Amino acid sequence: MSAERAMQLLRAWPGLTWTEASCGTGCAVCSQGCEIVHFHSASDADLHLTGRMIRRLGDQLRRSTAIRLLPESQWVTVHLDNDADADTLLSLVSAALQAHTACAGAAPGCNWNRVTFPDRRDDPVS
């Protein structure tokens, strides 16, 4: 449900286009030909944040139960359980758009099928 909300809001952002994700699963949001977000399911999205932006936001990203980082990946995975997670994704999309000053072609593979999330429904901190 939260992925649907995030997609709906992103459709109103200027300069973004939509296509099939290059990993073959789900749809991609692109800016200037660069894939920025892959929506893989109703609850998971990969975001091409770039290595530089991940290093810059690293401490904050690691504190979030909705975000998974993989070593050496320029992508972060956001688990979309609720509207707050969707809002987090939208904030990170904004950061990703700032980080993508120039697109050098296809981004290295996203994190699809490489991360897992525990069930957070009973987690009072979520």
Side-chain angles (χ1 to χ4, degrees):
M1 189 78 78
S2 293
E4 288 177 26
R5 178 178 177 269
M7 286 189 283
Q8 181 180 32
L9 292 170
L10 284 173
R11 287 191 191 283
W13 289 23
L16 299 180
T17 58
W18 295 75
T19 187
E20 183 178 327
S22 61
C23 65
T25 302
C27 62
V29 178
C30 303
S31 174
Q32 299 176 353
C34 244
E35 292 184 15
I36 304 293
V37 183
H38 289 180
F39 285 98
H40 294 299
S41 70
S43 60
D44 292 300
D46 280 337
L47 173 70
H48 186 205
L49 198 51
T50 75
R52 182 173 47 94
M53 191 61 77
I54 290 171
R55 286 187 296 278
R56 182 174 167 200
L57 300 175
D59 290 340
Q60 295 148 320
L61 296 171
R62 284 180 198 82
R63 283 194 291 262
S64 174
T65 60
I67 297 172
R68 291 292 180 269
L69 304 170
L70 291 177
E72 308 303 319
S73 179
Q74 294 185 27
W75 294 76
V76 299
T77 302
V78 182
H79 190 63
L80 302 162
D81 271 342
N82 53 51
D83 287 348
D85 295 341
D87 292 341
T88 296
L89 175 66
L90 294 176
S91 294
L92 291 174
V93 168
S94 182
L97 291 170
Q98 291 175 20
H100 284 269
T101 55
C103 183
C110 67
N111 296 339
W112 180 239
N113 284 331
R114 298 189 320 160
V115 298
T116 58
F117 288 90
D119 186 355
R120 297 184 308 154
R121 287 177 282 192
D122 298 325
D123 185 357
V125 181
S126 297

